[in-house]
Structures are given as C-alpha cells and as structure tokens.
Amino acid sequence: MIQIPKTTVVGQGLHVRQQVFIHRGQLNLLESKTLGETLGRMPSVQNASFGPNAGMPMIRSLSGNRVRVMSDGLSLNDLSGITPNINAQIDMENLSGIEVYKSGASVLYGGRAIGGAVNLHDNTIPKVMYQKPIQASVVVEAGTNSGHRESVTIDGNLGKRWALHIGGSQLKHGDLRIPGNTKADIAYDPNIDHLTADMAQVEVDRLDERNLTLYRYLSRFVQENIDDPKWGLSESELYTNEQYSNIDGERVQNDPNPLYIAGQPEDTPSYFSTVLGIRDYAPVRKGIMPNSHAESRSAYVGASYIQDYFRVGIGYKAIEGYYGVPAFARLSKPKHTHDPSEVVAPTYMPINTRTLSHSVHLEGAYQVKNSLVVDDINLRYSFQKGDDRELVGIYRVNKFDSKRHGVRGEVNQKKWRFWSGTTGVDFSNMKIQSDGQQRYLPDVSGRELGIFTLQKFEIRNIYASLGYRRDWVARRAVHDEGYVVSRGMAGGKLSDRDFGLHQATVDIRWDISSNFFIRSAASHAQRAPDFNELYAGNDHFAILVEENGDDRLPKESANSYELGGGIKFDNFQLSGSHYSSRFKNYLYLAHTGMSRSGGFLVKEWRASDTEISGWEAQFDYHHSLQEGSMVEFSSFFDLVKNRNISDDEMRQWAEGDFMPNLPTSRYGISTGVQNGRWMANASLDRYLKQKFLGKNINLERPMPAYSLLRARIGYRFTVAKRNILTYIDGNNLLNVEARPQNSPLKYLAPLSGRNISLGLRMEI
C-alpha cells in the first residue's frame, strides 16, 4: 500500500508526544542518498545539504550538534556535527523504520537532542523469529543521473531459538548533471563583495580608483618629493584634506585641488571600482556539478537467541565511502614575496572525503513476569570505530581516528491504572585522534553520563507526560606540538571543561472530543559545547573556513514551548502547531570580516542569545475504494525564524537580525493511488524566496524560489512464488535550478538535475 509520510503518535505516549515514524514501506518511496534528503519532506524538517553526497536533517533550523542521530537509542559515531562533509554512515536498506522527534528530545537522549532527534530502527540484530526458515530480498536500481545501487538481504532461522540476518549493499555514480551553471549568478556579478566572492570561489580582478573629487588640496610635500626614491611616495598620496604640508620644519600652504567638488553627500564613496574580469578558482563546465562523484559499500551480519520472555543478540556492521564535495582548495598557502618572478599561480584541487567505519552491537531484552512494577528491561551496547579523511586532491589534509563506546539501559514500568513510564541511564565515551598536513582539531576525548525518567499519565481524555534528566559531560584536549592552536578570542589554551546539564519537559494533550484535540508542551534543555566549538583551529578545508574555537564557551540553554491542535472527521485530518525556543548562549560560527589567501573565511565560535519560532500545519485525506485500492492526499506548510535577540553589537554587525543560511518557508502537496497491482504517487514542494535574511558581514543574498516535482509508478507481480516490485522513479522532474538557502554551498552548486531511475525489488 502506498502511504504518504505523516505525523503519527508512537508508543505509550499515544496522545502526548508528537513524533514522526516512517516504516519500511514509506522508506521505499522516500529513500535517497543521504538521511537529510530522505527526511526532507516532513513539515519543519529540511535537508542540511553539503553537496549531493552529504546531508543531515535540519529540524526547525537546527542541525549538527543540536540534532542527535541514533541507532536503536545509541548515538552513531557521527562527525557530521563537527564537519558537515562527513556523512553519517548509514545503510538505508538495513532499516525497518526511522523515528523523528521534532520538538526536542533532550530528556530521553541528552543535550545533543536540544533541537530534536532521529532514531534509526536497525535490522542488524533480529528482534523476532522470522516467518520463514529462510528468506531474502534483492534491490537493483539504475538512474539516468544517479548511477546504480544494489543490495541484498538474507534472513533465516537456525533451529527454534536462533535468528540470523546477513546483507550488504553498494552504490556508485560519477559527476552529476545539473540545469545551467554550477555557480549562482551572483558569482559573476561585478558588484559582488569580496566575502561572497570567497564563498563562490571566484577571483575578482578589480581596479580600485580613489574619488579625487573628495580632496580639497594637493600636497606640496608630495609634489616636491615624489621622484625621490627614499620617500617611496606615489601619486595616490598627492591628494589630501590637510591645508598645510610640513617641509623642512616649515608649514607650507598646499595647492587647491582643481578636481575638488564641494557639498557632496557624506556617503559619497571614497573609491570607484572597475571590475576587469572574474575567474573561477578551478575550471567548471555548464551542466555538470564538479566533483560530485560518490561510491559506497556496506556489509552487516547479526544473530539473536530468542525465547518467549528473553532475547539477546550481537551484530557487526562495516561501511565504506568515498565521495566528492563540489568545492576546491589550495593544498598550501602562498608565501609572501615582493619579487614578481617568484609569484606562482595558485593550484586549486577538489575536496574529497573518504570514510570507513566498523561497529559491534550487543542487545538484550527481558520481559519481567509476575511483577507489579516492571514490565520489561532493555540493555544495549555498541563499539564504533571510524576512519574519516578529508582530502585535497589525493593529499590527506585531515584524518580522524575515532572510537566510541556507548551503553544504554531502560526499565519500562507496568501500567498501573493511569500511570506508566520509562527510567534509564546511558553512558558514552569517545576519543578522536587527528592527523594530517593542516589538521584543525587536536586529539580530544569526551564522556557523557545521563540518568533520566519520563512518566506518563492518562486520566480520562487528558494525557500528560513529565520528564527530567541529569547529564554530566566532560571535554578534554591533548596538548601536542603538532597542532596549531586557535587564533580566536580564547587564544587556544585547550582547557579541560566539565559541564552539568539539566533537562526537563512537560507535555499535555486534551481530547476535547473524538474529533478535536489541543496540545501544549514546555521544556528546558541544556547542551555542552562540542569539540570543534571549544578546540578547533586552522583551516577546515571541507567547509572552506579557518575555524577557531573558544575553550571558554558556556553551556547552551533553551526554554521552549509549543501549542497545537487537530481536527479529524472521517477520512480527513488537519493538525498544526506554533513553537518558540529562546536560547541563552546560542553557539554559532561567527564571521570576523577577514579572509585568508586561498579564499578561506576566518570564523570563530561565539555565544549569543537567539529566538527560534515558527509554524507548521498538515492536512491528510485517506479513502479506501475497495479491497486493494485506495487514494491518499496530503499537504503541508512550514515557516521558521532564527532571530537575534541579543544586544551583541558584534553579532549585529556580522550576522544581522537573523542567522544566515536559514531554511526557507515552503509548502507541498502529495498524492498516492493504488489499484490492484498498480501504485503511483507524486509530490510537489515549493520553496519560497527567503525574507528573513542574515548577513555575512554584507547582507545575505536570497536564492530564487523553486519547485521540486517527484513521481513514482510501480507494479507488483509474482513469478515462481517470488514477489517482485518493478518501478520507475523520477526526481526534480521539472529540471529546475534549485539552490537551498540553508546550504553553505548554495553559491557553488545547486541540487542535482532531473533523474529517472528504473528499479526492481524482489523477495525470495
């Protein structure tokens, strides 16, 4: 059955906590190359795109270190919050579903869920015995603009108590096609400012000439000494507003400037610029997104011993990836010289990313019999090891060897009259060893311990939850001679930091009738600064920034509320909500107004107050015509603002009234039809031109509005008792130039162009 993703209620908090759950059938329709792209059609969730091969979910304008991504409740060994070009290592074919928390989940998952959480339901460790002794599925897909991908999964039962899961997948594509130019029009605008030119990776050959009409006099001193080499004077120093010159100790009247024009406005520019030419750092071709190649491989195996009230399992996963970022960098900075013969033309090379991860998972569950208090106990452990590399061309500039241990235990209470709940503890320990020619992080380590409880109450038609969590977080950096410390405001002392965090939430829903409900929620959440925010320094090639941390940064706090409601009649359902979060010490990567040779903007981590607010609404219609036939329709809109509420003059000068790179307001419609063996669905999303513009020292440029059309037609049939689904899938069918406002690479590359894929999914 075709089903359009919609907001549903999950678990015991059926009438309380709004979550989105996407099951496997929906994932088959939505699945894309990245997690952010897969989830990007939900209200208030957009893709934090860093090129076509790296994208994480942005929830209500928050992403990175504020949206926790987990696998079965345990954090992934995910460095995307530190460097967005490193994609989370996920095999989408190995998931049974994805659970999304849009209104913050810090009580359950800690400070890094201050803006939301994504929990991947992984298939590696079997949860139940399979219906057949052995079963398998195969997926093969090839596209006109997406390369090809293949995956295979084998499940089976070994006797009456053991279940086994084995599988793997691969994907590969070359540089992607795009409509029009790879760079935005602003890149070749003669009026482009130098910071935007750096972000667009263009060199502007500009001739700056002084406005000589602003100067009253001609300097007598310069006139008499301009030909004397010992003074090193130039013609530009001839013009002055000083009435006198000092010559041999005497004041001498300067001559009037015949070009001077009196009475000009105060904002008359002192220089006139003439652009002689604009050239790209590296050659680009129309219709091709440069360095957008990708390839990945994965393998996984898991086994479980399952009894009626007890289950224990172990699993192993390995994922490897190599992909490009559509941007270029210089391997080394030029040396300063006054000799023109020593000037060497800069060589820019593509930025690439290579990743390899191994992980081992243990999982146990026990349903307690004959207990009045405890329903079940769950315990999970994972060890993850990662090797993530940033390359300029083929040269390694950054390498991260990371190790993470994580353990989580939960005790679910038996429901007693109107009361149930969950209490638990989780702990993680992470170490990162960095290496490379110009690494921007020292060796770091961190620990996080959290104890939490979430209690739920159901009294007639009122449903409520109340939760609290206490976290202890430690951040450490290793001093070594091979690391160049930050040149930011803190001076790069690499101080040890310890944080105590408090998380609290209350959520109430009142079902006024069987057709109408209202809901309110309030929370207090805190987040500790992450490694890059505290300790970064040097060039961060992947984001084209010289990144400087500040080891004095405070913890981040947010007080949030949400008000919403919904109406349901027969096959129609309408819901909506308004939310607001006021952040104290909101941590952000701020502009300094400087850039280094090679186009790297100089930025540093700062703390300032901000407010995030927005609206979202969704309408759904579902109608079953007859057995095996149905029609669905859905529409949504969302709007979010990330507003500066501080009295920080530096932030107002650099970033303005709103944070730059805000996701735009948008609306969308979807429809799905199924008739017997045939099924079809289509969606159209409209992304509006951004009205809430921030600054990159200069006012941010809004990207044009655009619409994305996607459609899919499938046919299901049986051959030799094998279920087979064939489908044709189209993305960006209008082949429009789409540049998401929230993408840091919006000046460099749009979304990929039209793609038509043919696929086959077979169950054996």
Side-chain angles (χ1 to χ4, degrees):
M1 177 181 294
I2 298 291
Q3 288 189 313
I4 300 169
K6 60 191 74 173
T7 301
T8 57
V9 190
V10 180
Q12 290 184 342
L14 180 63
H15 302 280
V16 181
R17 181 170 298 279
Q18 281 190 320
Q19 298 162 226
V20 177
F21 185 81
I22 303 177
H23 58 68
R24 183 67 249 177
Q26 294 170 316
L27 278 178
N28 291 340
L29 302 178
L30 299 174
E31 186 176 321
S32 300
K33 290 191 290 292
T34 68
L35 181 61
E37 191 176 355
T38 299
L39 303 180
R41 285 211 69 255
M42 298 180 189
S44 296
V45 182
Q46 295 200 31
N47 179 21
S49 169
F50 202 80
N53 305 311
M56 296 296 287
M58 174 178 279
I59 301 177
R60 295 175 177 178
S61 84
L62 300 177
S63 60
N65 293 329
R66 297 187 180 93
V67 174
R68 175 150 265 169
V69 179
M70 301 163 293
S71 178
D72 291 327
L74 288 174
S75 289
L76 291 177
N77 196 17
D78 173 24
L79 298 184
S80 63
I82 294 175
T83 178
N85 67 301
I86 297 180
N87 207 28
Q89 297 299 290
I90 301 168
D91 187 335
M92 302 294 290
E93 286 293 337
N94 194 36
L95 302 179
S96 61
I98 302 177
E99 190 177 3
V100 181
Y101 296 78
K102 294 195 294 183
S103 54
S106 57
V107 165
L108 288 175
Y109 301 117
R112 277 203 62 181
I114 194 171
V118 175
N119 189 23
L120 309 173
H121 290 225
D122 190 86
N123 287 330
T124 303
I125 299 177
K127 307 296 191 295
V128 295
M129 301 296 291
Y130 297 107
Q131 294 180 351
K132 299 179 180 179
I134 187 168
Q135 58 191 42
S137 66
V138 177
V139 177
V140 179
E141 181 179 289
T144 60
N145 196 28
S146 61
H148 60 88
R149 68 182 182 99
E150 300 83 27
S151 71
V152 60
T153 301
I154 302 173
D155 301 315
N157 298 325
L158 303 177
K160 296 182 178 181
R161 296 298 183 187
W162 286 92
L164 181 67
H165 176 77
I166 302 174
S169 66
Q170 67 174 5
L171 174 149
K172 186 173 183 179
H173 65 74
D175 287 344
L176 302 173
R177 291 190 297 277
I178 54 175
N181 294 316
T182 181
K183 295 188 180 180
D185 292 342
I186 181 60
Y188 307 109
D189 186 339
N191 296 317
I192 189 172
D193 62 86
H194 77 280
L195 292 178
T196 305
D198 288 338
M199 290 187 286
Q201 295 208 323
V202 293
E203 293 179 346
V204 181
D205 188 1
R206 196 188 308 268
L207 177 63
D208 293 324
E209 299 178 286
R210 294 177 74 189
N211 184 355
L212 304 182
T213 66
L214 295 176
Y215 301 94
R216 295 174 179 268
Y217 304 102
L218 302 176
S219 170
R220 287 284 302 277
F221 177 82
V222 174
Q223 291 181 73
E224 294 181 8
N225 296 281
I226 193 170
D227 295 327
D228 189 341
K230 76 174 182 178
W231 293 106
L233 298 172
S234 65
E235 186 176 352
S236 65
E237 296 170 279
L238 178 63
Y239 298 89
T240 180
N241 280 317
E242 299 294 331
Q243 186 174 358
Y244 299 97
S245 291
N246 191 323
I247 301 176
D248 297 330
E250 295 183 10
R251 293 182 70 199
V252 178
Q253 174 75 38
N254 286 327
D255 296 332
N257 175 16
L259 301 177
Y260 174 69
I261 299 175
Q264 297 186 71
E266 293 184 359
D267 59 353
T268 301
S270 57
Y271 280 87
F272 295 113
S273 293
T274 302
V275 173
L276 304 178
I278 298 177
R279 57 185 177 274
D280 297 297
Y281 285 4
V284 296
R285 285 192 296 157
K286 186 174 183 178
I288 298 294
M289 188 188 307
N291 202 46
S292 53
H293 65 90
E295 57 182 291
S296 65
R297 288 166 291 275
S298 69
Y300 40 88
V301 58
S304 291
Y305 177 78
I306 301 172
Q307 290 190 343
D308 293 339
Y309 299 97
F310 173 75
R311 171 175 58 86
V312 62
I314 183 171
Y316 166 78
K317 292 187 291 187
I319 302 179
E320 180 183 22
Y322 174 62
Y323 49 89
V325 175
F328 298 82
R330 302 167 71 164
L331 189 62
S332 59
K333 294 182 177 180
K335 297 180 180 179
H336 183 70
T337 178
H338 292 286
D339 186 352
S341 64
E342 296 181 0
V343 176
V344 178
T347 300
Y348 290 89
M349 293 179 285
I351 298 172
N352 293 297
T353 302
R354 188 178 293 277
T355 61
L356 175 63
S357 70
H358 299 271
S359 58
V360 176
H361 305 264
L362 300 173
E363 186 176 295
Y366 176 65
Q367 187 172 0
V368 181
K369 300 172 62 176
N370 303 321
S371 172
L372 298 177
V373 179
V374 179
D375 186 23
D376 59 77
I377 301 172
N378 296 277
L379 183 65
R380 299 183 180 94
Y381 165 79
S382 71
F383 169 71
Q384 303 168 66
K385 181 179 180 181
D387 179 344
D388 300 290
R389 306 182 182 197
E390 294 179 341
L391 313 172
V392 173
I394 61 172
Y395 301 98
R396 187 183 70 192
V397 292
N398 280 295
K399 180 177 184 290
F400 304 100
D401 289 321
S402 57
K403 296 179 181 179
R404 177 191 287 272
H405 297 268
V407 60
R408 181 180 180 91
E410 294 180 354
V411 177
N412 293 311
Q413 303 161 211
K414 265 192 167 47
K415 187 174 182 179
W416 181 76
R417 293 186 178 180
F418 58 85
W419 181 17
S420 63
T422 299
T423 300
V425 58
D426 58 26
F427 172 80
S428 67
N429 179 284
M430 184 174 187
K431 292 184 178 181
I432 302 176
Q433 291 182 305
S434 57
D435 191 14
Q437 295 185 24
Q438 297 193 41
R439 62 177 183 155
Y440 66 93
L441 271 182
D443 294 346
V444 294
S445 63
R447 298 186 306 277
E448 297 184 10
L449 172 65
I451 301 174
F452 65 91
T453 185
L454 183 64
Q455 301 299 309
K456 305 171 186 179
F457 307 91
E458 180 180 336
I459 304 174
R460 293 185 179 179
N461 57 345
I462 296 177
Y463 307 85
S465 68
L466 184 66
Y468 175 76
R469 181 186 180 102
R470 181 76 163 92
D471 287 304
W472 294 267
V473 178
R475 303 279 190 246
R476 300 289 185 267
V478 177
H479 295 257
D480 66 81
E481 297 180 356
Y483 177 66
V484 179
V485 297
S486 164
R487 288 173 283 184
M489 298 174 69
K493 297 179 181 178
L494 306 183
S495 305
D496 293 347
R497 299 297 305 275
D498 295 278
F499 301 90
L501 308 179
H502 299 272
Q503 328 285 349
T505 185
V506 59
D507 198 327
I508 301 174
R509 170 173 167 154
W510 177 25
D511 284 357
I512 298 174
S513 70
S514 59
N515 302 110
F516 180 56
F517 77 91
I518 58 175
R519 173 181 173 267
S520 65
S523 65
H524 173 76
Q526 296 180 328
R527 181 181 74 89
D530 219 316
F531 299 124
N532 57 324
E533 295 163 326
L534 294 172
Y535 305 127
N538 214 334
D539 289 344
H540 189 165
F541 283 86
I543 61 174
L544 313 174
V545 164
E546 181 188 298
E547 182 179 355
N548 295 295
D550 186 341
D551 56 13
R552 305 168 302 174
L553 287 173
K555 62 185 176 183
E556 188 177 79
S557 299
N559 293 317
S560 307
Y561 75 84
E562 183 171 355
L563 299 173
I567 302 173
K568 182 177 181 180
F569 288 102
D570 296 329
N571 299 321
F572 298 88
Q573 182 173 330
L574 175 66
S575 61
S577 63
H578 170 69
Y579 55 88
S580 177
S581 298
R582 294 180 70 91
F583 280 79
K584 181 179 180 181
N585 297 321
Y586 180 85
L587 306 182
Y588 67 102
L589 194 55
H591 286 273
T592 64
M594 297 185 293
S595 62
R596 306 290 188 201
S597 179
F600 276 39
L601 303 182
V602 180
K603 292 188 177 184
E604 54 192 16
W605 286 98
R606 298 176 187 160
S608 185
D609 296 345
T610 200
E611 179 185 51
I612 296 171
S613 60
W615 294 85
E616 66 176 70
Q618 183 162 339
F619 169 79
D620 298 300
Y621 170 79
H622 178 94
H623 182 58
S624 296
L625 301 173
Q626 56 187 12
E627 185 176 354
S629 299
M630 49 75 64
V631 175
E632 285 187 332
F633 176 83
S634 178
S635 65
F636 76 93
F637 89 88
D638 57 27
L639 174 152
V640 65
K641 294 185 289 186
N642 190 319
R643 186 169 63 92
N644 179 8
I645 59 171
S646 70
D647 56 0
D648 187 338
E649 293 182 0
M650 185 176 292
R651 178 178 175 185
Q652 184 63 44
W653 167 75
E655 279 76 38
D657 295 327
F658 299 94
M659 287 301 296
N661 299 327
L662 263 180
T664 59
S665 300
R666 61 179 180 159
Y667 59 87
I669 57 174
S670 301
T671 184
V673 178
Q674 181 169 326
N675 185 12
R677 297 177 181 273
W678 288 95
M679 59 200 71
N681 72 294
S683 64
L684 178 67
D685 295 338
R686 178 66 175 172
Y687 292 75
L688 304 180
K689 188 176 181 179
Q690 182 61 274
K691 295 180 179 179
F692 310 114
L693 296 171
K695 294 168 64 178
N696 297 300
I697 306 299
N698 302 291
L699 187 65
E700 183 183 19
R701 300 294 185 100
M703 296 292 99
Y706 59 91
S707 299
L708 295 178
L709 176 63
R710 179 174 183 174
R712 180 184 178 109
I713 299 175
Y715 179 74
R716 188 181 299 276
F717 60 97
T718 302
V719 175
K721 298 183 179 181
R722 305 291 188 258
N723 294 321
I724 300 175
L725 171 66
T726 59
Y727 59 87
I728 179 171
D729 189 279
N731 287 294
N732 193 2
L733 289 172
L734 302 177
N735 203 34
V736 298
E737 183 177 310
R739 298 182 184 273
Q741 189 75 28
N742 62 326
S743 172
L745 300 182
K746 57 179 173 282
Y747 300 121
L748 293 175
L751 301 182
S752 56
R754 181 187 296 117
N755 173 63
I756 307 294
S757 295
L758 295 175
L760 179 146
R761 183 180 296 269
M762 181 169 59
E763 298 176 1
I764 303 173

